[in-house]
């Protein structure tokens, strides 16, 4: 057997192998056969090197031993942390300069090629994955699978990090000008060759009884004609169930790609068994069987049950039930090369005291027709009042009243779409949410009724303070929902470090006051404010009118009178564009 390491192409070349050596190579998940050169080609990555090193015929080879010492030794991790300034990556090409801990996460992914970033929410997992995928990129497509509500946010973040175009442009414009593609619905039209980043929702990989054939075809589409360079799984705990159709379909993709990056702040929600499926995708050679993984790292007991056969016969059956954890230190060591996790408390000194994140959402297809009709009625009203320019300069009070129905409709949709985001944040601590409309606050309260408190204008002052006190004293992670009018002033909610803004307010100073409910001088943790908006709707117009004002603290006094003028100008601009 001959082994050669091509450092330029970053591959290991194996030729003239014996039958038993060929069998070993065939078990490597990422390898290709070059029939022209009559040789096997393996990407240089930690998983491949670790696997080959188990066999004497490979580890005794000086070339393999040399890269093994660099890629696999546990000391390598320490070297990364200690010499972070010497990381051989040019971060200056990106529009965002990562913090030190983020550079560690990016480098961890690039030298591993298949890794899990399990940082606590708010530490920038998305940005780390984007830069790592861009560095690893060789040829093909970068596939991103995320919750449906976050596809717009991923497109926005990719553009913000890479810098394809002005991040203030609308989502439609960004998708048109950049190599970013959002795969909508279950249509599997050919993806344009110039599109590098392909963003999908998990639902597109989940067959159901209504559209079983179409959904299966969608998941198979990526397996047939598309070359996948990197697969990114956001909220990777969604593939924790190995028996689910979604997990099976995505596992097939994971076997096809060279690089795999998984993101989850809650990788293990209930028990150790939930770790197996993500780890199996990352390194099937290290974690081949769920049962052997559970036997080794979980406690168990035998349960005697009776099972009824289809013929009516009752048979005694003994099944093994798993619980708890054992061999904890060994488990930590074996997963260490694959998972990197940091908490806010670990990197507190590197974080700013307050950060804002603007999360674009996509209008669900089932609501688009209703919204379009409402929007057309709104435009017709403006045009009926006279020339478009004249109408938009006229009574702004009437204009705003007419747009309120549109905005409240969009707000109610965002309240439902916020469920997944808030649910994950509650895993780590208390959460505060602000709404402009009482109807949206009611929707959120019904979604989280068993662990939520609500303060709206119709609630008596005494009951408001009672809700605040219970929220602050409670030992469980709960949600406090407020409207701007009832809760943006006076309350000290420093117990929470995460806030979700369902709606924008006409006066940005009010939003700043709302932010300060959790951003206090006595706050123990950095706080993150998440603003939700649905692009390509009237909500997107308001977002673009608000953001400049919101981030310009020095101009707070001028924001109150200018924001409605900005909204009118943006609305005029976009309506006029649509009527050319």
């Amino acid at each position: 057997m001959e082994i050669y390491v091509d450092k330029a192409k970053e591959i290991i070349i194996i030729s003239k192998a014996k039958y038993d050596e060929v069998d070993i190579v065939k078990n490597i998940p990422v390898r290709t056969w070059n029939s022209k050169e009559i040789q096997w080609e393996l990407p240089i990555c930690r998983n491949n090197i670790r696997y080959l090193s188990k066999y004497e015929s490979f580890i005794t080879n000086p070339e393999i031993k040399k890269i093994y010492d660099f890629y696999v030794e546990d000391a390598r991790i320490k070297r990364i942390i200690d010499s972070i300034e010497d990381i051989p990556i040019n971060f200056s090409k990106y529009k965002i300069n990562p913090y030190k801990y983020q550079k560690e996460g990016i480098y961890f992914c690039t030298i591993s090629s298949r890794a899990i970033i399990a940082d606590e929410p708010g530490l920038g997992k998305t940005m780390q994955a984007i830069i790592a995928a861009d560095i690893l990129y060789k040829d093909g497509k970068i596939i991103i699978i995320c919750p449906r509500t976050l596809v717009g946010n991923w497109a926005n973040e990719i553009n913000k990090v890479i810098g394809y175009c002005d991040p203030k442009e609308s989502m439609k414009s960004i998708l048109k000008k950049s190599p970013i593609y959002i795969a909508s619905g279950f249509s599997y039209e050919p993806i344009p060759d110039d599109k590098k980043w392909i963003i999908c929702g998990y639902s597109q990989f989940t067959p159901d009884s209504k559209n079983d054939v179409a959904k299966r075809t969608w998941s198979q589409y990526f397996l047939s004609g598309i070359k996948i360079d990197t697969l990114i799984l956001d909220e990777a705990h969604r593939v924790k169930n190995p028996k689910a159709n979604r997990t099976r379909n995505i596992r097939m993709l994971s076997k096809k790609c060279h690089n795999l990056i998984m993101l989850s702040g809650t990788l293990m929600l209930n028990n150790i068994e939930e770790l197996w499926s993500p780890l199996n995708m990352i390194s099937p050679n290290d974690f081949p069987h769920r049962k052997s993984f559970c036997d080794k790292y979980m406690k168990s007991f035998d349960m005697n049950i009776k099972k009824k056969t289809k013929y009516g016969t009752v048979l005694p059956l003994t099944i093994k039930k798993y619980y708890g954890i054992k061999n904890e230190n060994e488990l930590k060591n074996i997963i260490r090369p694959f998972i990197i996790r940091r908490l806010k408390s670990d990197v507190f000194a590197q974080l700013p005291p307050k950060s804002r994140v603007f999360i674009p959402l996509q209008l669900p297809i089932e609501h688009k027709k209703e919204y379009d009709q409402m929007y057309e009625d709104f435009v017709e009203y403006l045009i009926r009042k006279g020339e478009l320019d004249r109408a938009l300069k006229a009574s702004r009070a009437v204009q705003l009243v007419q747009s309120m129905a549109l905005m409240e409709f969009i707000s109610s949709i965002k309240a439902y779409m916020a469920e997944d985001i808030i649910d994950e944040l509650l895993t780590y601590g208390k959460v505060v949410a602000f709404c402009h409309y009482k109807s949206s606050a009611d929707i959120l309260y019904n979604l989280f009724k068993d662990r939520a408190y609500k303060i709206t204008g119709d609630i008596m002052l005494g009951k408001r303070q009672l809700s605040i006190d219970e929220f602050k004293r409670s030992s469980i992670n709960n949600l406090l929902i407020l409207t701007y009018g009832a809760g943006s002033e006076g309350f000290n909610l420093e117990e929470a470090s995460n806030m979700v803004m369902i709606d924008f307010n006409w006066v940005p100073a009010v939003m700043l006051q709302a932010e300060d409910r959790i951003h206090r001088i006595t706050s123990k943790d950095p706080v993150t404010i998440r603003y939700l908006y649905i692009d390509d709707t009237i909500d997107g117009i308001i977002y673009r009118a608000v953001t400049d004002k919101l981030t310009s603290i020095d101009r707070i006094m001028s924001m109150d009178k200018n924001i409605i003028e900005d909204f009118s100008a943006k609305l005029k601009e976009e309506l006029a564009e649509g009527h050319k």
Side-chain angles (χ1 to χ4, degrees), residues 160-173:
K160 191 187 298 182
V161 172
I162 306 297
Y164 292 117
C165 52
D166 190 339
K168 293 181 181 178
E169 294 191 35
S170 68
M171 182 61 63
K172 187 180 294 184
S173 177

Side-chain angles (χ1 to χ4, degrees), residues 16-17 179 194 229 245 259 272 276 332 336 386 425 427 539:
K16 299 180 182 179
D194 63 339
D229 181 273
N245 284 325
N259 313 305
I272 299 298
W276 178 80
K332 286 180 179 178
R336 185 185 176 199
L425 292 175
T427 307
D539 207 34

Side-chain angles (χ1 to χ4, degrees), residues 407-445:
M407 293 160 58
E408 187 167 1
F409 175 71
I410 291 296
S411 177
S412 65
I413 294 173
K414 287 194 290 182
Y416 283 113
M417 297 176 79
E419 183 179 8
D420 285 348
I421 296 170
I422 294 174
D423 194 56
E424 183 186 0
L425 292 175
L426 283 170
T427 307
Y428 290 91
K430 298 177 185 293
V431 178
V432 175
F434 269 94
C435 303
H436 187 78
Y437 301 95
K438 179 182 177 297
S439 56
S440 299
D442 291 340
I443 290 171
L444 273 182
Y445 182 73

Side-chain angles (χ1 to χ4, degrees), residues 138-166:
K138 294 291 186 296
D139 185 30
K141 307 291 186 184
I142 298 173
I143 308 296
I144 299 160
I145 305 177
C146 63
R148 177 184 173 186
T149 55
L150 297 181
V151 292
N153 182 60
W154 269 95
N156 189 58
E157 288 298 311
I158 292 168
N159 179 59
K160 191 187 298 182
V161 172
I162 306 297
Y164 292 117
C165 52
D166 190 339

Side-chain angles (χ1 to χ4, degrees), residues 354-371:
K354 179 173 73 172
S355 58
R356 293 192 188 96
V357 179
F358 294 91
I359 302 178
L361 308 173
Q362 280 201 314
L363 185 66
I365 296 174
E366 60 267 29
H367 295 300
K368 191 175 189 307
K369 187 175 180 180
E370 184 178 357
Y371 171 81

Side-chain angles (χ1 to χ4, degrees), residues 251-430:
R251 178 172 283 111
M252 287 191 289
L253 283 184
S254 72
K255 292 179 179 178
K256 183 182 178 184
C257 63
H258 284 291
N259 313 305
L260 173 61
I261 300 172
M262 304 175 83
L263 311 177
S264 177
T266 53
L267 195 61
M268 185 180 68
L269 295 174
N270 297 305
N271 54 56
I272 299 298
E273 186 176 359
E274 295 174 353
L275 283 175
W276 178 80
S277 183
L279 288 170
N280 172 259
M281 290 189 193
I282 288 290
S283 183
N285 293 318
D286 288 291
F287 307 95
H289 307 296
R290 183 183 63 85
K291 186 178 183 303
S292 61
F293 179 83
C294 293
D295 286 340
K296 194 167 187 179
Y297 301 113
M298 296 185 72
K299 300 174 184 178
S300 64
F301 64 91
D302 291 334
M303 176 183 286
N304 296 319
I305 63 171
K306 294 181 179 180
K307 185 177 181 180
K308 192 174 183 179
T309 67
K310 62 180 179 180
Y311 302 107
T313 308
V314 178
L315 298 176
L317 187 66
T318 301
I319 61 173
K320 182 176 284 189
K321 299 288 288 184
Y322 295 101
Y323 71 99
I325 183 173
K326 64 181 182 181
N327 301 325
E328 185 173 345
N329 289 334
E330 182 183 346
L331 177 61
K332 286 180 179 178
N333 289 331
I334 196 171
I335 68 174
R336 185 185 176 199
F338 308 100
I339 301 177
I340 185 168
R341 177 172 173 80
R342 281 73 56 88
L343 304 178
K344 284 183 179 177
S345 57
D346 299 329
V347 297
F348 179 79
Q350 300 178 45
L351 292 175
K354 179 173 73 172
S355 58
R356 293 192 188 96
V357 179
F358 294 91
I359 302 178
L361 308 173
Q362 280 201 314
L363 185 66
I365 296 174
E366 60 267 29
H367 295 300
K368 191 175 189 307
K369 187 175 180 180
E370 184 178 357
Y371 171 81
D372 287 345
Q373 184 59 55
M374 294 176 70
Y375 191 78
E376 286 175 14
D377 292 343
F378 175 50
V379 174
E380 285 177 11
Y381 162 79
L382 293 177
I383 295 176
R384 278 201 312 271
K385 298 294 290 183
E387 186 182 1
L388 184 62
D389 184 64
R390 181 182 172 187
L392 286 165
K393 287 181 179 178
S395 175
R396 290 201 178 93
V398 177
Q399 175 186 317
L400 296 179
V401 169
Q402 290 294 319
S403 65
M404 282 295 177
L406 269 175
M407 293 160 58
E408 187 167 1
F409 175 71
I410 291 296
S411 177
S412 65
I413 294 173
K414 287 194 290 182
Y416 283 113
M417 297 176 79
E419 183 179 8
D420 285 348
I421 296 170
I422 294 174
D423 194 56
E424 183 186 0
L425 292 175
L426 283 170
T427 307
Y428 290 91
K430 298 177 185 293

